[in-house]
Amino acid sequence: MTLLLCLIFHTLESSITVEAQRINADSLFIAARQAANSGDRTGAIVTCERILTNNPGYQDAHILLSRIYLWDKKYDLAESNINTVIETNPKSFDAWDVKTDLSLWQGNYASCLRDCDAALTYFHDNKALLLKKARAYDGLKKPEMANETLNTLLYIDPQNADGLKLLKSLQDQLKKNRLSFSYSSDYFQSRALEPWKTIYLQYSRKIPIGTLVGRFNYAKRFGIEGVQGEADAYLKISNWNYGYLNIGYSNQSIFPRFRLGGEFYQKLPSAFEASVGFRYLDYKTTDAMIYTAYLGKYSGNWWWSGRTYFKLNGSTSLTALLQTRYYFASRDDYWGVRVNYGVSPDERTNVLTTVTPSLKSSGFRLEYSKQLWPAFTISGAFTYSNTEWMSKRYRNVFSGEIICSYQF
């Protein structure tokens, strides 16, 4: 009888101890979650580790730790914690939510697809998982599959704001053709010089390995008219790099008789991109070989870039451009600012000045682009430059440009 009473007492004591530990762990977890939400991530981590010391199977603590490590970009620690939960409880939605974010935020889109498919076997038609799956397809440059996934999401939730925003972007990607028309005019401080006019008509076509572009340029300078034909190609080499090629010809004096360009672009970690290349311009009486280098970075809705052009043969010259853009709903909705020292051979309006590198130029450009309808975009730009037109003699130039584009 005494032995039986001892066993009962011991069992009750153990149960009370376990229950007390659970209640204590729950209280600590509430404190950890509040600390994380208020920005005290270090305090939240310490509290979660304290919970797990006595309760190694406390899943909410593992999940919160993984989320904090994800915020801090400590991806290995986040993965080890979240995998612990999924291995023991594959029906935890919070665990899969962190797991899919982990792969998506790192740009591991193929892994994100596998994680989303695995999670959807337990949480059929979950809106958050479907949206992540569509974003993963978009990251893998598979707009058709992303569009199909979004159609499923929007059938469930027709007013899903994030889904509608991504769908708009995808619809632009699925259009293979783009026709653009540009008109620009340069006005000089001296009224003795009539405005210069530049017009181009451009057609681009997306192909499986990139984009092909054909362009017809017209210009009027010093009362002289001229035309030029150009072709561009942006060709994918791998998921991490691509190339650019340009060729052009004209038999009028205000354009280069022949132009050729090439550039190699390399994607880098942390959303950086870099490139090196050249531009060759051949006039009837002179030519120029110009080298270029570029570094850009995407940060949220912002794009920042710097580019330089330099000419070594003959007179040495250097051009530097710094540019930023802020994107809204799509790649056709943005505003931007650029400042420059020197002249860019890639500007359509610069048909003469790139072969006189000893002359100096500086200025800025303001630009704005708006997609008015799903297929139609209008863009405008204002440019100011202070240009040396003779040795130590400068003039102010004010330029306006408007571009209309139609996608189909």
Side-chain angles (χ1 to χ4, degrees):
M1 184 68 178
T2 303
L3 180 60
L4 179 61
L5 289 173
C6 289
L7 288 173
I8 293 172
F9 178 77
H10 179 72
T11 302
L12 288 172
E13 184 181 34
S14 299
S15 299
I16 292 170
T17 302
V18 170
E19 181 65 16
Q21 288 178 344
R22 188 191 67 78
I23 294 172
N24 184 52
D26 290 343
S27 300
L28 287 173
F29 178 73
I30 292 172
R33 187 171 57 191
Q34 290 174 342
N37 291 335
S38 64
D40 182 13
R41 297 180 185 175
T42 301
I45 290 172
V46 171
T47 304
C48 285
E49 289 175 343
R50 181 182 171 188
I51 295 170
L52 294 171
T53 299
N54 296 319
N55 300 270
Y58 199 98
Q59 295 180 1
D60 286 343
H62 280 294
I63 293 170
L64 181 58
L65 265 180
S66 297
R67 179 62 71 182
I68 296 170
Y69 287 138
L70 180 57
W71 291 338
D72 291 340
K73 298 183 179 180
K74 297 178 180 179
Y75 300 126
D76 290 341
L77 291 172
E79 186 169 13
S80 64
N81 274 276
I82 209 60
N83 285 344
T84 298
V85 178
I86 291 175
E87 287 170 2
T88 56
N89 183 14
K91 293 184 179 182
S92 169
F93 174 78
D94 290 337
W96 282 112
D97 191 39
V98 175
K99 177 76 169 175
T100 49
D101 278 344
L102 178 61
S103 51
L104 187 63
W105 291 14
Q106 293 182 86
N108 296 332
Y109 301 119
S111 296
C112 185
L113 278 180
R114 290 193 295 268
D115 294 338
C116 286
D117 285 337
L120 285 166
T121 61
Y122 301 105
F123 311 99
H124 305 289
D125 296 333
N126 179 272
K127 293 183 288 186
L129 293 172
L130 287 171
L131 181 61
K132 292 178 191 180
K133 184 175 180 178
R135 285 175 171 163
Y137 275 128
D138 185 37
L140 290 170
K141 308 300 182 187
K142 295 182 177 181
E144 293 84 1
M145 298 299 294
N147 186 68
E148 182 180 326
T149 305
L150 281 177
N151 286 336
T152 302
L153 169 63
L154 294 172
Y155 178 80
I156 300 167
D157 181 10
Q159 303 304 317
N160 189 288
D162 290 331
L164 290 170
K165 182 178 178 180
L166 181 56
L167 181 64
K168 181 181 178 182
S169 173
L170 288 171
Q171 287 173 342
D172 292 340
Q173 294 180 44
L174 290 170
K175 292 170 182 172
K176 303 295 185 183
N177 305 282
R178 189 181 188 100
L179 188 64
S180 302
F181 173 82
S182 168
Y183 174 83
S184 64
S185 187
D186 303 330
Y187 297 90
F188 299 90
Q189 186 177 25
S190 172
R191 296 186 178 181
L193 191 62
E194 68 176 13
W196 290 358
K197 311 291 183 184
T198 304
I199 297 172
Y200 72 75
L201 182 65
Q202 176 176 291
Y203 169 75
S204 62
R205 168 75 180 180
K206 293 180 182 177
I207 60 174
I209 60 170
T211 303
L212 301 178
V213 182
R215 184 167 46 252
F216 178 82
N217 301 311
Y218 164 85
K220 185 177 181 180
R221 305 280 192 274
F222 308 107
I224 302 173
E225 296 180 292
V227 295
Q228 179 192 52
E230 278 189 277
D232 299 329
Y234 296 87
L235 303 175
K236 178 181 176 180
I237 300 172
S238 74
N239 290 333
W240 286 92
N241 44 53
Y242 64 97
Y244 164 74
L245 297 172
N246 166 264
I247 189 170
Y249 174 80
S250 175
N251 59 4
Q252 270 87 34
S253 60
I254 61 171
F255 283 104
R257 180 178 60 180
F258 176 72
R259 66 175 294 149
L260 182 67
E263 196 156 354
F264 176 80
Y265 288 83
Q266 176 69 48
K267 294 180 181 180
L268 303 172
S270 301
F272 278 95
E273 182 181 57
S275 73
V276 291
F278 73 94
R279 310 289 187 265
Y280 174 71
L281 305 176
D282 178 23
Y283 287 80
K284 290 183 179 180
T285 57
T286 185
D287 64 356
M289 175 63 81
I290 302 167
Y291 302 94
T292 183
Y294 152 84
L295 179 66
K297 176 176 174 59
Y298 289 92
S299 177
N301 287 23
W302 289 93
W303 170 65
W304 306 87
S305 76
R307 181 179 284 275
T308 183
Y309 300 90
F310 49 96
K311 178 177 178 291
L312 300 179
N313 57 321
S315 301
T316 301
S317 68
L318 176 68
T319 293
L321 295 89
L322 296 175
Q323 184 172 4
T324 185
R325 281 181 181 173
Y326 182 85
Y327 288 91
F328 297 98
S330 72
R331 65 186 181 91
D332 290 323
D333 292 284
Y334 63 84
W335 64 264
V337 180
R338 188 192 70 195
V339 294
N340 67 278
Y341 174 82
V343 178
S344 165
D346 291 330
E347 288 289 335
R348 306 266 74 80
T349 56
N350 293 332
V351 295
L352 281 174
T353 50
T354 50
V355 293
T356 54
S358 58
L359 302 181
K360 300 175 182 178
S361 176
S362 61
F364 66 88
R365 175 184 173 92
L366 307 175
E367 57 183 3
Y368 180 75
S369 179
K370 177 67 176 176
Q371 190 177 64
L372 298 180
W373 300 288
F376 183 77
T377 299
I378 188 167
S379 308
F382 169 79
T383 305
Y384 164 78
S385 62
N386 183 251
T387 304
E388 185 180 21
W389 60 283
M390 293 181 63
S391 179
K392 297 183 180 181
R393 299 186 65 179
Y394 294 82
R395 63 188 174 202
N396 295 320
V397 184
F398 306 89
S399 305
E401 181 180 15
I402 186 167
I403 305 173
C404 299
S405 299
Y406 178 73
Q407 291 179 275
F408 56 99

